[in-house]
Amino acid sequence: MPVTLKAARILITIQVAFGLVGSGLFLALFFSSFVWVYLLVLAFVAGSTALLGWLLSRWDSRRIYLRWSLVAMQVVPAGVEVVDMVLYSTVDWRSVVVGNSFGWVVVVLLLLPSAGRWFDKPRELR
């Protein structure tokens, strides 16, 4: 496995760990206030963390769909956040770049040619 993919795997693991902590915090926030909007946010955070963790567990399969699924899992939340900032007129470059820095770094690492070669192994090796 190339070093860039090892770095991407570590960053995704950190994202899953932060997602688990965030899920616990939103669960505590919901039960302390019973605001139902927090339950929706909890469902989104827990669901995306579970999906990202499941994709991370499939890493050794080296399937091409896994690579593109991981890219989508990084781009979609960043895109939703950018749309939210545009709707509320709070968008600036620092929020777009710094706020989603782990996601953007993982996307760049997964789009490198070495990642493409590693994930696209011949069929007889699958």
Side-chain angles (χ1 to χ4, degrees):
M1 180 182 336
V3 176
T4 56
L5 285 179
K6 288 181 183 178
R9 191 175 189 176
I10 290 170
L11 288 175
I12 294 171
T13 304
I14 291 170
Q15 284 179 329
V16 169
F18 282 150
L20 290 173
V21 170
S23 296
L25 289 174
F26 272 109
L27 190 64
L29 184 64
F30 170 72
F31 281 119
S32 68
S33 64
F34 288 104
V35 175
W36 293 99
V37 174
Y38 295 147
L39 194 60
L40 293 174
V41 175
L42 172 66
F44 174 74
V45 170
S48 62
T49 300
L51 183 59
L52 197 58
W54 180 75
L55 289 172
L56 187 62
S57 73
R58 305 284 302 155
W59 189 275
D60 292 331
S61 71
R62 294 173 65 170
R63 305 273 180 166
I64 194 71
Y65 76 86
L66 179 68
R67 175 185 179 205
W68 294 112
S69 299
L70 286 168
V71 169
M73 282 296 298
Q74 301 297 326
V75 170
V76 168
V80 168
E81 187 174 344
V82 168
V83 168
D84 180 54
M85 287 187 289
V86 167
L87 289 176
Y88 292 105
S89 300
T90 58
V91 66
D92 60 348
W93 68 272
R94 283 186 215 119
S95 299
V96 173
V97 175
V98 176
N100 300 308
S101 58
F102 272 8
W104 296 124
V105 170
V106 170
V107 167
V108 168
L109 291 174
L110 288 174
L111 292 179
L112 290 174
S114 62
R117 286 189 298 271
W118 192 80
F119 275 109
D120 192 25
K121 66 181 181 178
R123 291 230 182 246
E124 62 270 2
L125 295 177
R126 288 186 179 167

